[in-house]
Amino acid sequence: MAVVPESSVLTFSVFKWSSYSSTYLPENILVDKPTDQYSRWSSESNYPPQFLILKLERPAIVQSITFGKYEKTHVCNLKKFKVFGGMSEENMTELLSSGLKNDYNKETFTLKHKIDEQMFPCRFVKIVPLMSWGPSFNFSIWYIELHGIEDPDVVQPCLNWYSKYREQEAIRLCLKHFRQHNYTEAFESLQKKTRIALEHPMLTHLHDRLVLQGDFDACEELIDKAVRDGLFNQYISQQEYKPRWSQIIPKCNKGTSAQEINRDDVNSDADDNRPGMRGGHQMVIDVQTETVYLFGGWDGTQDLADFWAYSVQENQWACISRDTEKESGPSARSCHKMCIDSQRRQIYTLGRYLDSSVRNSKSLKSDFYRYDIDANTWTLLSEDTAADGGPKLVFDHQMCMDSEKHMIYTFGGRILTCNGSVEDSRTSEPQFSGLYAYHCQAGTWSLLREDSCNAGPEDVQSRIGHCMLFHTRNRYLYVFGGQRSKTYLNDFFSYDVDGDHVEIISDGTKKDSGMVPMTGFTQRATIDPELNEIHVLSGLSKDKEKREENVRNSFWIYDIARNNWSCVYKNDQAVKENSSKALQEEEPCPRFAHQLVYDEMHKVHYLFGGNPGKSCSPKMRLDDFWSLKLCRPSKEYLLRHCRYLIRKYRFEEKAQSEPLNALKYLQNDLSLTVDHTDPDETKEVSQTWTRRTLSGRSSSTPSSTSSQTA
């Protein structure tokens, strides 16, 4: 396989422009002078269309574009813009739709440069400003730099392919037009001459049987074969999920479990059977045994140290320990983190929150524990991870396990100090922990990235309340959202743990409201490496001022390959005393400080507890337990629905000429394919029959009357 040359700076000239004002000439963008406020192109007005067209010195694969800026924020900076490219100025493809931050840092954007995984060249690049940061101000561009490949040995084959691709697409459009208008001779002649297939052969066969021959039985056989051959798989993978929440009511324990101890300390049978109300707890899941482990939390008055296991197969909780500290394990805690090594059947826990009144040099040590599931024993790995080169005592951080390399990654979290309340920013500036790796075999820590406020391309900005996930297949960490002091973050980046490389997926400045999960709301995320998806459940805001406004549950899916967010559902269920009980039974109420885990083998999420944020009951915590399945249309559903559509059209044809046979067909054949649980589908069949029946009666009435008269 040929090695693709590295990207380089491309030479271009300013070819055409919509307008310019005063001395702000278009060619100013060729020189990077961030200290000169006159070194920019500025449009004469902000009325569309405003644009700049750049002409490359020679055709090239344009991979990225860099925008330089003035040394200070400026109202004329582009808040929204689009970039187009092509081999001619008349025929261009959209390469990018984005926006600039209103700051002084250069920004680089990746441009679309592939079609069907094949690179295509451009000779012209068009930049179209859409909105400036000052709504009534003209558009300004200070400096432009294009990066890509201009090596003729690479570009020429891509140019040949692109020319052929455009020609084939034009021929396909002609073929489609000819067939739709029944220009059979023209269709067959063009297809024979060009030997270009309009579509997949299966679709051509289906058109032949259905449209030309009217052979409905053969159509059903073709659809059945298509399903068996997996031709619907890609379609299914692109369909939206439908969430299916189910509240879990665990079975009561009968008899004494071998794992349960200290029964004398139990005050009620209810406490015996399942964990009590709490928030700030931690959960992990062993997907091999379908076991959910829960440890600690805050019940509204105190930290907890109980440790539980829930068996999915048995639908039953078992208490492993009432107090892990009494068994050489961690003390009572909340806002800690846990991760599980399912291969070695070990659970690790790190961090906790401490009230300022109990903080001292001893209590602020960051202990680190490992629990062995099979041996049912705790091991203290470190009395203070900071002394061992690891993080200081933190809370609301994130922790991920890499079982393959036997490594743990922890990122972010607020560092606890003795200097007053953690919320009191006047007493001390908040400190955040960086990105660390723990080598389980060697028992050593490594600092991978320090916290960086002014993040460069390889730096990371630490935060609390964020999401971090490890993709076991591509071996990337994915970090999304969070909060830093009073600022809610909406950026999204990945970290290559083997290559030690940070990649910004989204800087959080896109103003496509509703297209990404909202900031300021509690988010819990999971990952499915097999499906290459990230799942985010967004719930209640921690911000008391926002808590009663727009409270909702929403579930989001991020397609890693397509770099695309989609919202599975939103429910504007307010947290109020008079909330519908029926609605609350359909799905969990919005909350924060809850936990969500995901079984990627069986494709099920599990949610437990949390804080509903009720101002009238500030100490209230939840103990409800839910499962969530994300459902897409199955092959069986699609096969049935296709058969239903084929038989519906067959019925309509019969109804026009053979109403009695059509009725029999409806009762004996079409009805077998109808989903009678779907009111829309049932109503559609009923209306079709009624419409055809009335049409048949009206057409038969005159002949009947004339017969009687004769």
Side-chain angles (χ1 to χ4, degrees):
M1 183 176 177
V3 178
V4 179
E6 290 187 5
S7 181
S8 61
V9 178
L10 303 176
T11 304
F12 64 87
S13 60
V14 181
F15 178 70
K16 193 177 289 186
W17 52 88
S18 55
S19 65
Y20 66 89
S21 59
S22 187
T23 58
Y24 304 118
L25 304 176
E27 53 264 32
N28 288 345
I29 69 166
L30 299 174
V31 183
D32 186 17
K33 294 182 178 179
T35 60
D36 183 0
Q37 65 172 325
Y38 297 103
S39 181
R40 55 174 161 142
W41 165 73
S42 188
S43 61
E44 193 173 24
S45 73
N46 57 9
Y47 292 106
Q50 300 296 325
F51 62 85
L52 284 179
I53 297 181
L54 316 178
K55 185 178 181 180
L56 295 168
E57 189 175 55
R58 61 179 65 89
I61 312 298
V62 187
Q63 297 174 309
S64 66
I65 183 170
T66 298
F67 288 82
K69 300 177 189 175
Y70 185 48
E71 63 180 352
K72 301 176 183 177
T73 60
H74 202 283
V75 290
C76 294
N77 282 338
L78 303 186
K79 191 174 185 179
K80 285 186 179 181
F81 66 87
K82 287 190 175 185
V83 179
F84 299 84
M87 286 303 297
S88 69
E89 57 175 305
E90 294 84 12
N91 195 327
M92 293 193 182
T93 301
E94 184 176 315
L95 308 180
L96 174 68
S97 177
S98 192
L100 297 177
K101 297 177 183 177
N102 193 16
D103 59 16
Y104 54 84
N105 295 316
K106 285 184 178 180
E107 289 189 64
T108 300
F109 300 87
T110 300
L111 298 176
K112 175 184 177 182
H113 57 278
K114 289 184 179 180
I115 298 175
D116 297 334
E117 297 305 312
Q118 175 68 47
M119 295 189 296
F120 64 90
C122 293
R123 186 70 191 275
F124 295 89
V125 174
K126 183 177 183 180
I127 304 170
V128 181
L130 300 175
M131 183 186 297
S132 60
W133 277 92
S136 59
F137 287 84
N138 297 345
F139 307 121
S140 286
I141 297 178
W142 305 83
Y143 174 66
I144 292 293
E145 195 171 275
L146 298 175
H147 295 256
I149 302 169
E150 57 181 357
D151 183 350
D153 292 338
V154 176
V155 176
Q156 191 58 47
C158 294
L159 182 57
N160 296 339
W161 173 86
Y162 187 54
S163 300
K164 187 176 181 180
Y165 167 81
R166 290 187 61 199
E167 180 183 348
Q168 289 178 340
E169 289 304 299
I171 292 172
R172 284 195 183 96
L173 287 174
C174 292
L175 289 171
K176 183 179 180 181
H177 176 77
F178 292 156
R179 195 172 73 177
Q180 283 180 337
H181 291 78
N182 204 24
Y183 300 151
T184 308
E185 291 182 7
F187 176 85
E188 292 176 349
S189 176
L190 181 60
Q191 193 169 51
K192 183 178 180 181
K193 186 75 173 176
T194 61
R195 296 183 179 179
I196 291 176
L198 171 62
E199 62 214 353
H200 192 282
M202 182 72 75
L203 291 176
T204 303
H205 292 323
L206 184 62
H207 179 270
D208 179 66
R209 301 294 187 274
L210 184 62
V211 179
L212 302 181
Q213 300 180 22
D215 189 343
F216 293 97
D217 291 333
C219 290
E220 289 197 24
E221 292 175 4
L222 278 172
I223 294 297
D224 190 55
K225 185 177 186 304
V227 171
R228 291 198 309 271
D229 292 347
L231 298 183
F232 283 84
N233 291 354
Q234 184 180 6
Y235 171 81
I236 291 173
S237 70
Q238 294 174 347
Q239 298 309 294
E240 290 186 357
Y241 285 111
K242 289 187 178 180
R244 188 184 300 162
W245 286 102
S246 299
Q247 186 163 9
I248 300 173
I249 309 299
K251 291 191 300 186
C252 294
N253 295 327
K254 295 183 179 180
T256 302
S257 168
Q259 287 181 306
E260 294 180 50
I261 60 172
N262 295 338
R263 283 298 185 116
D264 295 336
D265 296 337
V266 180
N267 296 322
S268 68
D269 292 338
D271 291 336
D272 248 1
N273 297 328
R274 57 185 174 82
M277 299 180 178
R278 67 192 67 205
H281 50 290
Q282 273 296 294
M283 294 199 310
V284 293
I285 185 168
D286 184 346
V287 298
Q288 305 294 334
T289 62
E290 291 187 84
T291 305
V292 177
Y293 293 91
L294 182 152
F295 169 60
W298 173 266
D299 66 2
T301 57
Q302 63 179 351
D303 280 328
L304 304 172
D306 52 348
F307 189 29
W308 296 80
Y310 171 77
S311 169
V312 175
Q313 295 179 354
E314 297 178 8
N315 185 29
Q316 195 170 60
W317 285 102
C319 183
I320 300 173
S321 173
R322 296 292 170 186
D323 186 350
T324 51
E325 188 173 16
K326 293 181 179 179
E327 300 172 4
S328 303
S331 59
R333 61 191 59 204
S334 59
C335 302
H336 51 297
K337 284 295 174 285
M338 290 201 308
C339 64
I340 186 170
D341 184 346
S342 295
Q343 290 184 13
R344 300 168 183 83
R345 294 178 54 76
Q346 295 172 335
I347 296 172
Y348 295 80
T349 184
L350 174 73
R352 66 189 185 279
Y353 176 76
L354 283 177
D355 189 79
S356 57
S357 61
V358 296
R359 291 182 208 163
N360 53 54
S361 57
K362 183 178 180 181
S363 67
L364 286 177
K365 290 183 177 179
S366 174
D367 53 13
F368 186 33
Y369 285 88
R370 181 183 65 216
Y371 174 74
D372 188 293
I373 296 173
D374 294 327
N376 188 25
T377 56
W378 288 95
T379 302
L380 177 63
L381 300 175
S382 173
E383 291 186 354
D384 186 7
T385 54
D388 297 335
K392 296 179 181 179
L393 181 59
V394 293
F395 70 96
D396 278 354
H397 49 299
Q398 286 295 334
M399 196 160 72
C400 292
M401 167 61 68
D402 174 8
S403 294
E404 181 184 341
K405 297 290 181 70
H406 208 190
M407 300 274 288
I408 293 174
Y409 298 94
T410 177
F411 172 62
R414 180 77 175 271
I415 297 174
L416 287 169
T417 64
C418 293
N419 299 328
S421 171
V422 73
E423 286 86 7
D424 190 358
S425 59
R426 295 170 300 179
T427 306
S428 62
E429 284 297 318
Q431 300 176 39
F432 298 90
S433 184
L435 175 62
Y436 288 86
Y438 177 71
H439 307 253
C440 300
Q441 194 74 30
T444 58
W445 289 92
S446 301
L447 176 61
L448 304 177
R449 290 291 189 282
E450 291 183 347
D451 173 32
S452 174
C453 298
N454 189 15
E458 285 295 333
D459 295 331
V460 294
Q461 189 177 24
S462 297
R463 71 275 313 267
I464 62 171
H466 51 293
C467 303
M468 185 173 79
L469 306 159
F470 181 65
H471 195 307
T472 54
R473 298 196 177 189
N474 67 18
R475 301 188 49 75
Y476 278 35
L477 288 170
Y478 290 90
V479 179
F480 173 77
Q483 184 179 357
R484 188 179 177 92
S485 298
K486 294 184 178 181
T487 302
Y488 290 107
L489 305 176
N490 201 26
D491 58 337
F492 187 18
F493 65 88
S494 65
Y495 174 73
D496 181 350
V497 299
D498 297 325
D500 188 31
H501 171 63
V502 175
E503 181 178 348
I504 305 299
I505 300 171
S506 170
D507 58 15
T509 61
K510 275 186 103 172
K511 300 302 176 182
D512 301 331
S513 59
M515 299 307 293
V516 296
M518 293 178 63
T519 58
F521 286 78
T522 300
Q523 289 156 348
R524 294 290 180 263
T526 61
I527 192 167
D528 191 319
E530 180 187 356
L531 299 177
N532 212 22
E533 292 176 343
I534 290 173
H535 309 143
V536 177
L537 174 66
S538 180
L540 187 61
S541 173
K542 289 184 182 179
D543 191 336
K544 293 182 179 179
E545 285 86 21
K546 295 181 180 178
R547 191 172 295 167
E548 301 298 332
E549 301 174 7
N550 301 321
V551 174
R552 60 168 63 90
N553 280 333
S554 61
F555 203 94
W556 297 77
I557 304 288
Y558 176 71
D559 188 313
I560 296 174
R562 296 190 182 97
N563 186 23
N564 177 58
W565 286 101
S566 60
C567 184
V568 174
Y569 83 106
K570 286 183 180 179
N571 174 28
D572 298 335
Q573 175 190 339
V575 181
K576 298 178 181 177
E577 294 298 330
N578 59 350
S579 292
S580 165
K581 184 177 180 181
L583 188 59
Q584 290 183 8
E585 290 175 352
E586 291 177 4
E587 66 172 271
C589 68
R591 61 193 68 197
F592 62 91
H594 53 292
Q595 278 304 309
L596 182 77
V597 294
Y598 180 58
D599 181 346
E600 68 266 22
M601 286 183 63
H602 303 91
K603 313 300 181 189
V604 186
H605 286 85
Y606 296 94
L607 178 147
F608 183 89
N611 186 339
K614 292 192 175 184
S615 55
C616 58
S617 304
K619 292 186 177 182
M620 180 181 178
R621 299 298 182 270
L622 301 170
D623 64 350
D624 51 345
F625 193 28
W626 297 80
S627 69
L628 169 65
K629 292 185 178 180
L630 301 175
C631 305
R632 277 177 169 150
S634 64
K635 293 180 181 179
E636 293 73 21
Y637 169 83
L638 292 175
L639 179 59
R640 179 205 63 78
H641 191 65
C642 288
R643 284 175 175 166
Y644 160 71
L645 293 174
I646 293 170
R647 294 185 187 186
K648 188 183 78 164
Y649 289 117
R650 188 174 189 176
F651 161 74
E652 290 183 346
E653 282 198 7
K654 282 180 175 290
Q656 292 178 358
S657 57
E658 306 172 81
L660 290 178
N661 285 337
L663 177 59
K664 292 179 181 178
Y665 184 79
L666 172 66
Q667 295 171 332
N668 299 329
D669 297 276
L670 177 56
S671 62
L672 295 177
T673 64
V674 177
D675 181 1
H676 295 283
T677 63
D678 185 342
D680 294 333
E681 203 167 286
T682 306
K683 183 180 179 181
E684 184 181 27
V685 173
S686 177
Q687 288 177 341
T688 301
W689 168 247
T690 304
R691 186 170 61 252
R692 289 301 177 190
T693 303
L694 292 175
S695 174
R697 286 178 180 175
S698 62
S699 62
S700 65
T701 301
S703 61
S704 175
T705 305
S706 59
S707 174
Q708 291 174 0
T709 305

